[in-house]
Amino acid sequence: MRVRIWLASAIVIILILLLALTVNHAREKDMVEIFGRRQLVHARNTAGRIADVFSQAEKNIAVFSRFDSPGKTSEKEIDRDFKIIFSGWENSVNAVVLFDAEGKVKRVFPGGATPAVDLSGHFDVLKKNRKQHLELSLAEKEVATGFGQSRDWYLIIGNPIRYQGNDFAGAWLASFSLGAIIGTYEKQTRESNLGYLWLADAQGKIIVHPAANLIGKNIRDLLPGGKDIPLNFAAGRGNYLETAVQYNTGHGERSIVAYSPLQTGDKTWIVFIAAPYDQVISPVRTTFIYTLFTALLLIIVVVIASISFAYREGKRLRIKEERKRLAEREAWQEKLLREKKTIEGIIEGSPIPKFVIDKGHKVILWNSACEELTGCSADEMIGTDKSYKPFYSSKRPLIADLIVDRDFEGLDKYYGAKKVKKSDKILDAYEATDYFENLGGHSRYLYFLAAPIYDEKGEIIAAIETLQDISREKELTRSLRENAESLQNELFQNIDLQREIQKLNSYLQSIVRSLPDKIFVLDENGFVHYISRGLEDEISLYPSESSGRYFLDFVAPADRDFILARWEEAKNGIYKPYEIEAVAKDGRKLNLLVTTSPVVGTSRYVVVQRDITEFKDMEKKLFESRKMAALGQLSAGIAHEVRNPLSSIKMSLQILEKRMSPAGNDLKRFKIAEKEVEHLEELVNNVLIFAKPVEPKKTSTDLVKILEQALAMTEKGIADKHVKVRTKYEKVPPVLADAAMMVDAFVNIIRNAVEAVEENGTIDIFLDLPEGGGNHVVVRIKDNGNGIDAADMPHLFNPFFTRKKYGTGLGLSQVKKIIEIHQGTIDIESEKGRGTTVKVILPCADRRKSPRLVQDM
């Protein structure tokens, strides 16, 4: 209850303090805002009053400039007028000086006064500008001022003197102590408890300040973090803010600062009023402290009254609790007595040898099992301190003795060699093992476990030690050790055998990995158990991810029915190889030969996948070459038989045309016949060229020159259709080629592109290296014509296939023949309505490696 009362009182005090602090913070904030506005109003009023003083001083000097206009006014009259005009300015006026037109001092007022500032420089400025002069100047010597500055600033006001004709005749210059002028207002500011008054110029340079060492510094130097403080001197009405200010102590003090501009003529100064934050809010804090002190007194009174009530109530409860505790203690004593007798009976009847010693090391319990183990009776041992006697010939402490004395260093001394350690199961207990040559008539290994016995205060009053004969366990351990050594030898042999097996397995794995074929091992249900290295290049799966998956997961959907049928045949004992087509991840089409065989002695199958794409390509090329050879021989024979009749027909038509001199439709028919004969002659020539075996004369050739020559030979067709040809040639190595044959090939390709595009069409020609590098160059000729039908794409390179009205169909066949005898490839990509791209790949002249036109999987 006492704790709850103190806790409740503390919570109430904390809540009241938090509430008071919150209210005080709000009041301080309001106080700062009110003070800041009041300070700003005072700064504006002070700036206006100082501006009025400066203005009045200017007017007084202007009056002086008219007194001596004829140069005849006596000094007494001027002195009298000076006292009248500057009445009340005695503490501010330093000196009024009359200069002639040459800058010489003619008179100084008041008499005997010495200007604290050299006015000759100001006279020069006034004479040059010929108008009223207003400026601030620092005193030449350090003098004590009423404002506390060691060097005072002076306000210099001058007015030119003009005689008749408006000629410059001299000037009146007066110096006023700025400290004396500002001092009055600074005193008023301090007496009003509004802070300290400073004066700075338009650039923020301090002119007037109570601390002389701060004169000449920038106002922002007095404000830590001045660049980030929002001071806007250009604002016409000024402002106030809360910031840290350095006064004369060298460190920033939280303050309220108000500033307002002071405007006189074309000059601007800034009036600053700074008040320490603690000074501003001191009334609020004083009130807060008084209020808080009163509240705390009230709380203390309440707490004392609560404690007094709680003390009386607690005393009554303690007496009641004490009586209850006494009754419970008596009951516990009876219970402990019964338990003691029970425990003694348990220990005495326990089959485990045990003995107990008290704090004086005297044996107080020695059970019958201990008598049987040691051969010493309880009558001999109880009441003595000879618990060591059955075990050792000389007196020495047992573990129980050391625990009673808390002699843990003695444990290491007497039992360190016997592997003594703290028990993991019993708190504060220690255990050890020792060998005895003759204990109770036998040699024995004993396990000791001793633990302290505590009273209700936690003090050790006794210790119990149990003994366990572990001779049999030791014998078993020895036998187990011998068996373990034998097993270890066998294990080492097995490890050596395993290493040999692993070495052989690694050798076999390396053989499998070196095979060009891909090997799958499937179970009878079609699940993958092994995949040889290299398959991940085709299916983008690693063997660890592929194992355990169904084999159809690696088959294209279109081929799954076919593959599944072959798998069922293999399961039925029909192991026939079969071919399939697949697509590699780089887009290449592959021809694969798949063979399925059973694994002897298991229910698994080996599926071997062999890439026969090259064999298929060679077979196809062989078939094409035989077909082309036969076609060439046939075409050559036909061409020879047709060529002579065509020549006769052409000659006869020409003779008949000359003799008959036909006109009109007859002439038109003659021309058509001649044109058809010429077309047939061109066809026969192309057939002869196509059928004629050609051996290229290869030299190191620059493809740029070949392409430019081909463009020159097709220039007329390009110009007739106004085709725009754009070329982009990268720097590539030369190729090994027959220049004339390559020019013919590219002329055919460019001519087809010109015929395919419309008027004002575009043809792009690119020359560069293939992606990923290599020993090849790539030529791409791209047009924006109508494109080629998908149905015509497979027949583009077939002889005599054409869609042109007068085409022979041998152009692209001849181009492909030329490219292939140069160990190159040609490929055409086209889409109806979107143009055509012809891609030619040729080997470089300097090939240190074999050509590799298509990247491997």
Side-chain angles (χ1 to χ4, degrees):
M1 180 176 289
R2 182 179 300 173
V3 173
R4 289 199 298 270
I5 291 173
W6 280 108
L7 182 61
S9 301
I11 292 172
V12 170
I13 293 172
I14 291 171
L15 289 176
I16 291 174
L17 288 173
L18 289 175
L19 178 61
L21 289 171
T22 303
V23 173
N24 180 66
H25 178 73
R27 291 190 63 193
E28 286 184 2
K29 188 174 180 181
D30 293 339
M31 184 67 179
V32 168
E33 185 174 356
I34 293 170
F35 183 86
R37 292 177 181 176
R38 180 183 169 198
Q39 198 181 43
L40 177 59
V41 170
H42 185 76
R44 289 172 180 170
N45 292 338
T46 302
R49 290 162 65 186
I50 294 173
D52 292 341
V53 171
F54 289 176
S55 177
Q56 185 61 43
E58 288 180 326
K59 292 176 183 179
N60 291 346
I61 297 303
V63 171
F64 257 89
S65 66
R66 293 194 294 270
F67 284 167
D68 200 42
S69 55
K72 296 179 179 181
T73 306
S74 66
E75 189 170 343
K76 286 185 178 182
E77 291 176 334
I78 294 176
D79 188 58
R80 183 193 65 220
D81 294 336
F82 172 81
K83 291 180 180 179
I84 294 172
I85 293 173
F86 288 101
S87 177
W89 292 70
E90 291 80 2
N91 295 328
S92 303
V93 177
N94 171 241
V96 179
V97 181
L98 174 63
F99 288 87
D100 60 13
E102 303 301 325
K104 294 181 179 181
V105 177
K106 293 174 63 179
R107 295 177 183 174
V108 179
F109 297 94
T114 301
V117 178
D118 183 8
L119 298 177
S120 58
H122 295 276
F123 172 79
D124 293 338
V125 175
L126 187 148
K127 182 178 179 181
K128 179 180 178 181
N129 296 330
R130 302 293 179 93
K131 63 179 182 179
Q132 193 174 45
H133 177 72
L134 177 66
E135 191 59 75
L136 288 179
S137 182
L138 191 63
E140 296 178 355
K141 298 180 179 180
E142 293 187 2
V143 294
T145 67
F147 197 64
Q149 299 184 171
S150 60
R151 294 181 69 184
D152 195 6
W153 283 83
Y154 284 84
L155 178 67
I156 310 302
I157 300 175
N159 215 60
I161 300 173
R162 292 183 175 85
Y163 292 158
Q164 294 179 355
N166 204 24
D167 295 329
F168 181 77
W172 283 96
L173 286 172
S175 60
F176 297 86
S177 172
L178 193 59
I181 296 173
I182 302 300
T184 302
Y185 300 103
E186 198 278 337
K187 181 179 180 182
Q188 292 175 0
T189 302
R190 282 190 288 104
E191 290 177 351
S192 301
N193 292 324
L194 293 175
Y196 303 99
L197 180 67
W198 309 336
L199 185 66
D201 60 15
Q203 286 73 38
K205 182 178 179 182
I206 298 175
I207 299 170
V208 177
H209 194 282
N213 60 324
L214 300 178
I215 301 297
K217 290 189 177 182
N218 193 285
I219 191 68
R220 293 185 181 274
D221 295 339
L222 274 61
L223 309 177
K227 292 184 179 180
D228 300 326
I229 295 175
L231 291 176
N232 185 8
F233 297 153
R237 299 291 295 169
N239 203 350
Y240 73 92
L241 67 155
E242 182 180 339
T243 182
V245 176
Q246 290 183 0
Y247 291 97
N248 199 21
T249 58
H251 63 274
E253 183 178 351
R254 189 178 179 186
S255 302
I256 312 298
V257 179
Y259 61 91
S260 179
L262 190 161
Q263 186 76 33
T264 300
D266 58 350
K267 301 294 183 179
T268 301
W269 295 280
I270 310 298
V271 174
F272 284 89
I273 299 178
Y277 184 85
D278 292 338
Q279 175 184 325
V280 174
I281 64 169
S282 60
V284 176
R285 286 187 174 174
T286 302
T287 304
F288 169 71
I289 292 171
Y290 289 155
T291 304
L292 186 62
F293 180 73
T294 304
L296 288 175
L297 286 178
L298 180 60
I299 291 170
I300 291 171
V301 170
V302 173
V303 169
I304 291 173
S306 301
I307 291 173
S308 176
F309 173 77
Y311 177 76
R312 290 197 300 271
E313 185 65 19
K315 185 176 181 180
R316 184 181 64 81
L317 292 175
R318 282 196 302 274
I319 293 173
K320 182 179 179 181
E321 189 70 24
E322 189 66 27
R323 291 174 180 171
K324 182 179 178 181
R325 192 178 297 113
L326 289 172
E328 290 177 350
R329 185 174 183 179
E330 292 175 357
W332 274 106
Q333 286 178 345
E334 292 179 1
K335 185 177 180 181
L336 288 173
L337 187 59
R338 289 195 302 271
E339 288 181 353
K340 180 182 178 184
K341 294 179 179 179
T342 302
I343 291 172
E344 288 178 352
I346 292 172
I347 292 175
E348 180 62 31
S350 173
I352 299 174
K354 296 183 177 71
F355 66 89
V356 180
I357 62 173
D358 60 13
K359 198 170 183 179
H361 302 281
K362 295 190 180 296
V363 178
I364 59 175
L365 188 60
W366 190 278
N367 70 352
S368 56
C370 198
E371 290 180 352
E372 183 179 351
L373 176 67
T374 61
C376 296
S377 66
D379 294 336
E380 293 179 58
M381 303 303 298
I382 293 175
T384 69
D385 59 355
K386 298 179 180 179
S387 56
Y388 67 90
K389 186 176 179 181
F391 309 103
Y392 304 105
S393 57
S394 59
K395 186 175 182 178
R396 54 166 289 176
L398 299 180
I399 298 178
D401 295 301
L402 297 172
I403 288 177
V404 167
D405 293 339
R406 292 183 177 273
D407 185 6
F408 301 112
E409 294 180 358
L411 288 170
D412 291 331
K413 178 180 178 181
Y414 293 102
Y415 293 92
K418 298 174 177 55
K419 299 181 181 179
V420 66
K421 66 175 183 177
K422 199 169 186 178
S423 175
D424 298 329
K425 299 179 180 179
I426 302 175
L427 183 65
D428 295 337
Y430 288 85
E431 58 188 34
T433 304
D434 200 358
Y435 173 73
F436 299 94
E437 188 69 31
N438 183 12
L439 182 64
H442 301 280
S443 60
R444 303 176 190 270
Y445 283 96
L446 289 185
Y447 165 76
F448 299 90
L449 176 63
I453 299 174
Y454 296 98
D455 61 7
E456 65 273 10
K457 296 180 180 180
E459 299 290 337
I460 295 177
I461 58 172
I464 182 171
E465 187 164 342
T466 61
L467 311 172
Q468 185 176 353
D469 187 354
I470 58 171
S471 302
R472 186 178 178 185
E473 285 81 352
K474 284 288 185 179
E475 188 65 30
L476 289 174
T477 301
R478 187 183 301 107
S479 299
L480 288 173
R481 187 180 298 110
E482 293 175 355
N483 291 334
E485 290 177 356
S486 176
L487 290 174
Q488 187 177 19
N489 293 332
E490 292 181 5
L491 178 62
F492 288 151
Q493 294 176 0
N494 290 334
I495 290 173
D496 293 338
L497 180 60
Q498 181 69 21
R499 287 174 180 170
E500 292 293 330
I501 293 172
Q502 287 180 352
K503 185 177 180 181
L504 178 60
N505 181 63
S506 298
Y507 176 68
L508 294 176
Q509 285 286 348
S510 64
I511 293 175
V512 172
R513 292 192 185 99
S514 301
L515 293 174
D517 301 333
K518 310 300 182 295
I519 299 175
F520 298 75
V521 177
L522 310 180
D523 63 13
E524 59 185 355
N525 297 317
F527 288 97
V528 177
H529 285 265
Y530 174 79
I531 300 178
S532 65
R533 183 179 66 86
L535 186 62
E536 59 268 20
D537 294 334
E538 296 177 12
I539 62 175
S540 299
L541 290 172
Y542 294 98
S544 61
E545 297 174 346
S546 304
S547 181
R549 298 183 61 177
Y550 193 53
F551 77 100
L552 286 181
D553 292 343
F554 309 127
V555 179
D559 298 329
R560 288 181 180 175
D561 293 339
F562 175 76
I563 299 295
L564 187 59
R566 303 288 80 75
W567 168 249
E568 293 297 333
E569 290 178 355
K571 290 171 67 175
N572 293 327
I574 302 173
Y575 307 113
K576 290 176 24 179
Y578 55 90
E579 297 180 9
I580 61 171
E581 287 188 356
V583 179
K585 63 182 181 180
D586 60 357
R588 290 182 301 138
K589 291 184 179 180
L590 304 175
N591 295 99
L592 303 177
L593 177 66
V594 181
T595 305
T596 305
S597 302
V599 179
V600 179
T602 68
S603 60
R604 297 185 178 183
Y605 297 86
V606 174
V607 179
V608 180
Q609 172 188 295
R610 175 169 294 176
D611 185 356
I612 59 172
T613 306
E614 292 185 6
F615 298 104
K616 284 290 183 179
D617 290 343
M618 292 173 63
E619 184 182 74
K620 184 178 179 181
K621 288 180 180 179
L622 179 62
F623 175 76
E624 289 290 334
S625 64
R626 288 178 178 176
K627 183 179 73 173
M628 296 301 290
L631 182 61
Q633 291 176 0
L634 176 63
S635 300
I638 294 173
H640 278 292
E641 294 297 327
V642 173
R643 193 174 191 181
N644 292 331
L646 280 177
S647 298
S648 300
I649 292 171
K650 183 177 180 181
M651 185 180 298
S652 298
L653 285 173
Q654 291 173 349
I655 293 171
L656 286 173
E657 183 181 0
K658 289 180 180 180
R659 289 181 178 179
M660 297 176 64
S661 299
N665 288 332
D666 293 336
L667 179 61
K668 183 176 180 181
R669 290 188 182 94
F670 267 102
K671 294 298 182 183
I672 291 173
E674 289 178 357
K675 186 175 181 181
E676 292 297 333
V677 170
E678 290 175 355
H679 176 65
L680 288 173
E681 282 186 333
E682 182 184 359
L683 177 60
V684 169
N685 290 332
N686 287 338
V687 168
L688 289 174
I689 292 172
F690 177 74
K692 182 180 179 182
V694 180
E695 186 66 28
K697 298 178 180 179
K698 296 182 181 180
T699 58
S700 182
T701 306
D702 185 359
L703 271 180
V704 174
K705 293 182 179 179
I706 290 176
L707 291 171
E708 290 298 328
Q709 187 175 351
L711 284 172
M713 295 177 69
T714 56
E715 184 177 2
K716 185 177 183 304
I718 293 171
D720 290 344
K721 296 185 75 172
H722 305 288
V723 177
K724 182 179 180 181
V725 179
R726 297 180 297 194
T727 61
K728 183 179 181 182
Y729 302 145
E730 300 290 342
K731 187 176 181 181
V732 299
V735 298
L736 195 65
D738 186 318
M741 296 178 71
M742 294 306 300
V743 169
D744 289 341
F746 284 115
V747 165
N748 262 302
I749 296 172
I750 296 172
R751 188 175 291 155
N752 286 342
V754 172
E755 293 173 356
V757 299
E758 302 292 338
E759 290 282 340
N760 300 311
T762 302
I763 298 175
D764 293 307
I765 302 177
F766 303 96
L767 174 62
D768 54 17
L769 294 172
E771 294 183 3
N775 295 315
H776 299 79
V777 294
V778 180
V779 180
R780 287 179 293 126
I781 301 175
K782 180 179 179 183
D783 65 65
N784 63 347
N786 293 326
I788 304 171
D789 289 333
D792 295 339
M793 292 294 292
H795 312 294
L796 293 179
F797 297 109
N798 291 344
F800 306 110
F801 176 79
T802 182
R803 294 295 184 189
K804 299 177 185 178
K805 186 175 181 180
Y806 292 101
T808 64
L810 293 173
L812 284 179
S813 300
Q814 187 69 12
V815 170
K816 184 177 182 182
K817 181 178 179 182
I818 293 171
I819 298 300
E820 287 181 346
I821 64 177
H822 285 83
Q823 290 81 45
T825 61
I826 180 170
D827 185 45
I828 299 178
E829 297 177 359
S830 184
E831 187 176 346
K832 190 64 176 177
R834 303 192 66 177
T836 302
T837 300
V838 180
K839 181 179 179 182
V840 177
I841 301 177
L842 295 170
C844 300
D846 183 14
R847 289 186 294 167
R848 294 184 174 86
K849 295 186 291 184
S850 61
R852 188 178 180 185
L853 303 182
V854 180
Q855 188 177 3
D856 292 340
M857 287 190 297

